[in-house]
């Protein structure tokens, strides 16, 4: 197995994945940035117009509506997915009768296509034909009926809830892997010292799962900026873009109104926001870890 230790061999083994990453991630980013400074409509030639698309963007009220909805969803999923998936992982960490079935049920929504997830919840949340409002009407609680989706207020929160339902199993699985990587000897030693379960979780589990928590947080941030199919299926961004998020507004602008250059400007700004949030978070985490080590 000496050949595995050679640097050239390692490069050759990584090269296929690197080529795919560059071809399908890095190059499209530069292509998007290029078209964002043109008047390209998807057909014909692209003419350079400088930063005109960006100037229009920052005076576009629908862009700021989409930005607000995206941030609401991002905040909601961050403060719910992380703690809930961690608590569920703690409950399912040790095997018990029926734990496998419960794990499968929790993870099942994650393997369902997002467009189908949106369709399922459309029949539950729709204010006119949805199950929730129908049940409320049937039991005499008409006053509790709400416009769960399609309105200016509750739509981003409903989308965040649907996203939580869909990805809870995925993040729970990552947390369970992190929990099982912690040596049991540490818990046994803490029990001898008189630590209870809460103290073990707070003093041992959470500190030793910092890397897992960091990974989950970055995935949640990037996932929050990429939510598309759920919103598209639930509301199609309507009415009049009040329930759009950045990705759906970019899609509408690019493929419905044929303003390809303007759509790429929205995509570029979305990418920059996602990159900034991730860098700030990772920088603070690394700084905190260095301070603890020091």
């Amino acid at each position: 197995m000496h050949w595995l230790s050679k640097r050239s061999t390692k490069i050759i083994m990584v090269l296929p994945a690197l080529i795919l990453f560059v071809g399908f991630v890095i190059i499209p980013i530069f292509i998007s940035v290029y078209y964002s400074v043109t008047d390209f409509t998807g057909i014909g030639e692209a003419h350079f117009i400088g930063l005109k698309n960006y100037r229009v963007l920052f005076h576009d009220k629908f862009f700021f509506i989409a930005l607000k909805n995206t941030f609401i969803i991002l905040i909601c999923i961050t403060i719910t997915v992380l703690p809930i998936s961690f608590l569920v992982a703690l409950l399912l960490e040790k095997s018990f009768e029926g734990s496998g079935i419960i794990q499968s049920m929790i993870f099942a929504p994650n393997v369902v296509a997002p467009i189908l997830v949106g369709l399922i919840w459309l029949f539950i949340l729709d204010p006119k034909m949805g199950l929730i409002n129908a049940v409320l009407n049937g039991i005499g609680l008409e006053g509790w009926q709400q416009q769960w989706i399609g309105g200016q207020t509750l739509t981003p929160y409903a989308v965040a809830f649907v996203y939580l339902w869909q990805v809870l199993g995925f993040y729970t699985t990552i947390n369970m892997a992190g929990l099982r990587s912690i040596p049991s000897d540490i818990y046994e030693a803490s029990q001898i010292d008189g630590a209870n379960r809460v103290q073990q979780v707070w003093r041992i589990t959470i500190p030793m799962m910092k890397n897992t928590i960091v990974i989950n947080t970055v995935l949640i941030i990037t996932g929050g900026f990429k939510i598309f199919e759920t919103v598209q299926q639930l509301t199609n961004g309507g009415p009049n873009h009040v329930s759009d998020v950045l990705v759906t507004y970019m899609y509408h602008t690019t493929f419905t109104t044929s303003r390809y250059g303007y759509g790429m400007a929205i995509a570029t700004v979305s990418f920059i926001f996602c990159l900034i949030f991730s860098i700030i978070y990772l920088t603070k985490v690394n700084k905190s870890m260095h301070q603890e080590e020091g």
Side-chain angles (χ1 to χ4, degrees), residues 9 13-14 19 27 39 68 96 100 107-108 115 118 128 133 139 161 187 230 245 261 270 272 278 287:
T9 304
M13 294 176 69
V14 173
I19 291 173
I27 292 177
D39 62 353
K68 181 194 72 172
F96 55 88
F107 190 78
I115 197 73
K128 294 182 179 179
N133 279 354
I139 61 177
F161 177 80
Y187 291 112
T230 303
V245 293
S270 301
I272 291 172
S278 299
K287 184 178 180 181

Side-chain angles (χ1 to χ4, degrees), residues 176-248:
M176 289 180 67
L179 289 172
R180 289 169 180 172
S181 68
I182 302 174
S184 58
D185 296 346
I186 300 178
Y187 291 112
E188 293 173 0
S190 67
Q191 285 180 341
I192 295 173
D193 290 337
N196 57 36
R197 182 56 176 161
V198 174
Q199 291 173 328
Q200 287 178 336
V201 171
W202 188 254
R203 299 290 185 179
I204 298 174
T205 306
I206 293 178
M208 296 196 70
M209 284 188 62
K210 277 189 175 180
N211 290 334
T212 303
I213 294 172
V214 169
I215 292 171
N216 280 342
T217 304
V218 173
L219 289 175
I220 290 171
I221 291 172
T222 55
F225 278 102
K226 294 189 298 182
I227 292 176
F228 170 73
E229 295 96 332
T230 303
V231 178
Q232 189 73 5
Q233 186 64 57
L234 286 175
T235 66
N236 197 25
N240 196 27
H241 302 293
V242 298
S243 60
D244 258 326
V245 293
L246 287 174
V247 182
T248 57

Side-chain angles (χ1 to χ4, degrees), residues 117-133 145-162 230-239 242-244:
V117 170
L119 183 61
I120 292 169
W121 283 94
L122 175 64
F123 288 105
I124 297 174
L125 297 172
D126 188 272
K128 294 182 179 179
M129 64 176 184
L131 178 64
I132 294 179
N133 279 354
Q145 292 179 331
Q146 301 290 333
Q147 190 173 8
W148 306 106
I149 56 175
Q152 298 186 23
T153 305
L154 295 179
T155 299
Y157 301 100
V159 171
F161 177 80
V162 173
T230 303
V231 178
Q232 189 73 5
Q233 186 64 57
L234 286 175
T235 66
N236 197 25
V242 298
S243 60
D244 258 326

